[in-house]
Amino acid sequence: MRSPLQGLCWLWLLTLVHALATTSGSRESQLRIGKGVNVFVRYGYLSISMRVIPTNESSETERWLFREPTRNIYKNISNLADIHEDNTPGIFHGDFHMEFCENRRQLLQAYFRDFTIERLDKPWEALSGGWFPHTAAKKLGVNASFILGDYSYVLVRVVRFRETGKLAVPIPNNQPLEPEILERVKDLQVGNITETLYFLDQIGSHYINSYTTGNSLYQVFVYNRKNYKMIKDRIKAKGLNGLSKLDLYNYFAPWFAAHLGQIRSASGNATVERWAKRKLQYEYYVVKYVTLLKLHGNSTLLRSLDSLLGNDAILSLDLKALNLFPENPEKQQWFNEVLDNNLKLWEINMPLSNQS
């Protein structure tokens, strides 16, 4: 049997051109449980069509969350979905956390920690693979020189959850398919690479298994290696709550960190970012700086923030690989093989923009 890799290198480009040049009138762009998504349409650049990090748009009235082409795969899939909202007045539904990152690659990985794409080892690269250093710096709110240099980072983030959707149970093998999907499933032939790639393009590679929407404020603190190790070891030994407020402010101050990034809103909400500049300013003698640490344990500020977080972003997303051939293991194995080979090809062909 011929190797599935044969012929895929030139088809990689053909598929990309086809995906970008054509649109299907039967497709929708909605964040809905069970819908099919083709991750190859914008692999490496998925963040341009998912609101996951601030974009260059200046309009604060933009309410879109998800612009990826999606397709209905299953019938009655909403019966399996569990969706709820966290909007009790006066309660901040969220958390405060920080992640320690040895280098730029780990920083991007940390930002997209809650995004998973089944059969892909590095899902964050599907969202940020096209970010060159100056692009990453702008989106993360830091100066480009601190992205390019030999630095470590602490990502501090305050998250406010809004809506959570997930499949309450795995999709049953006998879940009925939409008529068009059923026909495509029957017609797919094992060994036909061109047809399988067309199937991926038209039907999708994955489906939406779960998601969380909401908003977040985040700030990147940049350190030289020595100070980074010191703060990491101290917090690891004592825990965040074991540090005094003075110690906490000192470790995240401009005289200890090499650089304090801007406070950014994941949705790009400029109103929230202006509020943060006013309300989260810390003054130590004659030094003034803005720090997200002021929100830690401050219920009054968190309640104020809750009322301002209007525009939402996608905080987490789990995509599962399509499993449409439960009664034909040979066909499913072939589909998985082509899917895996394509994922590896995309990883290899993406620019090495995230390497440190």
Side-chain angles (χ1 to χ4, degrees):
M1 180 178 174
R2 64 175 176 171
S3 169
L5 279 172
Q6 292 177 357
L8 282 182
C9 290
W10 66 269
L11 281 171
W12 170 81
L13 178 59
L14 177 63
T15 305
L16 173 63
V17 173
H18 178 78
L20 294 180
T22 62
T23 56
S24 173
S26 63
R27 295 189 181 187
E28 302 175 66
S29 295
Q30 295 178 330
L31 187 64
R32 294 288 184 270
I33 295 299
K35 287 212 165 192
V37 179
N38 179 11
V39 300
F40 300 113
V41 173
R42 271 176 285 275
Y43 184 96
Y45 300 87
L46 284 171
S47 61
I48 68 173
S49 52
M50 300 182 188
R51 188 179 287 277
V52 294
I53 203 163
T55 65
N56 295 329
E57 296 175 359
S58 58
S59 173
E60 295 181 19
T61 59
E62 279 280 346
R63 296 287 179 173
W64 69 271
L65 274 176
F66 193 78
R67 285 175 172 166
E68 278 305 297
T70 60
R71 183 182 286 276
N72 290 323
I73 302 292
Y74 300 96
K75 290 183 176 180
N76 307 321
I77 194 69
S78 60
N79 296 335
L80 305 179
D82 177 19
I83 300 173
H84 71 275
E85 291 189 41
D86 295 314
N87 53 12
T88 308
I91 298 178
F92 186 83
H93 297 273
D95 63 23
F96 180 102
H97 64 269
M98 58 178 63
E99 294 203 49
F100 290 82
C101 314
E102 300 285 341
N103 49 45
R104 181 174 77 245
R105 179 184 57 79
Q106 287 189 8
L107 177 59
L108 293 174
Q109 181 180 357
Y111 188 90
F112 293 109
R113 177 80 62 200
D114 296 320
F115 289 76
T116 59
I117 301 175
E118 191 177 19
R119 310 188 80 86
L120 191 60
D121 294 332
K122 302 173 182 178
W124 63 91
E125 290 187 353
L127 291 133
S128 63
W131 293 4
F132 288 95
H134 68 279
T135 307
K138 186 173 183 180
K139 292 181 181 297
L140 295 169
V142 299
N143 293 339
S145 60
F146 294 102
I147 285 288
L148 290 167
D150 184 25
Y151 296 102
S152 296
Y153 310 89
V154 178
L155 172 65
V156 178
R157 185 155 42 181
V158 178
V159 180
R160 199 285 186 206
F161 305 113
R162 184 82 61 188
E163 179 181 275
T164 301
K166 63 180 180 180
L167 279 169
V169 296
I171 298 176
N173 288 339
N174 61 351
Q175 187 71 22
L177 300 172
E178 294 289 343
E180 183 185 354
I181 307 299
L182 183 59
E183 289 301 314
R184 293 286 183 88
V185 166
K186 290 179 180 178
D187 293 342
L188 187 69
Q189 296 179 3
V190 174
N192 190 324
I193 291 179
T194 303
E195 182 183 342
T196 308
L197 290 174
Y198 187 72
F199 184 96
L200 285 168
D201 178 45
Q202 294 297 301
I203 306 304
S205 59
H206 293 72
Y207 67 89
I208 300 171
N209 182 64
S210 68
Y211 67 85
T212 301
T213 66
N215 209 339
S216 70
L217 287 182
Y218 63 91
Q219 186 176 20
V220 176
F221 294 80
V222 186
Y223 295 89
N224 61 40
R225 299 294 187 183
K226 178 182 177 182
N227 285 359
Y228 171 81
K229 185 178 186 307
M230 185 185 300
I231 182 177
K232 182 179 179 180
D233 291 346
R234 186 73 185 275
I235 292 181
K236 185 177 180 180
K238 287 198 164 189
L240 188 61
N241 293 326
L243 297 179
S244 68
K245 182 165 285 191
L246 183 61
D247 280 342
L248 199 57
Y249 279 118
N250 184 55
Y251 285 141
F252 291 86
W255 52 84
F256 193 83
H259 175 63
L260 272 61
Q262 302 171 17
I263 295 178
R264 305 299 309 274
S265 161
S267 70
N269 190 322
T271 301
V272 177
E273 292 178 359
R274 287 193 294 266
W275 174 89
K277 287 180 181 179
R278 295 194 315 269
K279 297 294 185 179
L280 303 184
Q281 189 174 101
Y282 184 76
E283 184 173 354
Y284 186 81
Y285 293 105
V286 296
V287 180
K288 292 182 180 180
Y289 59 97
V290 177
T291 174
L292 207 54
L293 271 295
K294 281 198 74 171
L295 284 172
H296 180 57
N298 192 319
S299 57
T300 302
L301 282 176
L302 287 174
R303 281 195 296 268
S304 299
L305 175 63
D306 187 65
S307 64
L308 289 172
L309 290 174
N311 294 5
D312 281 352
I314 302 172
L315 301 178
S316 72
L317 182 66
D318 177 32
L319 300 179
K320 295 292 186 186
L322 285 175
N323 183 11
L324 299 175
F325 316 95
E327 298 179 359
N328 193 328
E330 183 184 6
K331 190 176 287 190
Q332 184 65 53
Q333 182 179 358
W334 164 255
F335 178 83
N336 291 344
E337 202 168 350
V338 175
L339 176 60
D340 288 342
N341 285 336
N342 268 265
L343 289 172
K344 288 179 175 62
L345 281 170
W346 277 95
E347 283 184 314
I348 292 171
N349 281 281
M350 281 304 298
L352 301 179
S353 54
N354 295 336
Q355 299 299 316
S356 292

